[in-house]
Amino acid sequence: MRTLGWGVWNGEFPRVVERFRKSCGESRPLIEAPHLLCTPGDLQDFEAWCIMGVLQLWDLHLLNLGNHESAYFSHDEWCATTWQPAAN
C-alpha cells in the first residue's frame, strides 16, 4: 500500500482519502489541492469533511471569511477558535 509520505503514524489510508475526495467532486491528488472550499450550499460536504478530519486526527483549519471566524483542530486532540468583528 502506498502512503502519502506525510504521516507520523502507520494509520494513513490514502485510498479512503482519495475515494472520499472523489465523492465530493475533487479528483486532484491531495498534494496538489490540500484544501477544500465550501460555499453555503455545501453544508453536508463541510460537515462530512469535519467528521472525517476529526476521526482521522488530521490538523484542520476552518475559516469563515464572511464572519471572520476560524477554528483549528489539532492532531494532538485540542481545538482553538477565534472570532474577529468585521471592520467598518
Side-chain angles (χ1 to χ4, degrees):
M1 176 171 88
R2 70 184 174 96
T3 65
L4 299 174
W6 300 345
V8 294
W9 62 296
N10 293 326
E12 284 185 348
F13 298 103
R15 184 86 168 160
V16 173
V17 175
E18 289 170 5
R19 294 289 175 113
F20 188 71
R21 288 169 57 88
K22 283 186 181 188
S23 76
C24 294
E26 180 57 73
S27 60
R28 294 174 292 177
L30 183 60
I31 198 163
E32 289 180 17
H35 59 275
L36 177 70
L37 176 63
C38 293
T39 62
D42 298 326
L43 182 58
Q44 290 181 333
D45 283 350
F46 175 75
E47 289 173 340
W49 274 105
C50 289
I51 291 167
M52 175 69 96
V54 170
L55 290 175
Q56 295 289 329
L57 293 176
W58 293 340
D59 286 343
L60 296 175
H61 297 267
L62 308 174
L63 307 172
N64 182 342
L65 301 178
N67 294 328
H68 304 277
E69 299 167 330
S70 68
Y72 172 72
F73 291 87
S74 171
H75 67 275
D76 288 325
E77 301 177 5
W78 62 272
C79 174
T81 60
T82 61
W83 178 80
Q84 179 181 12
N88 291 328

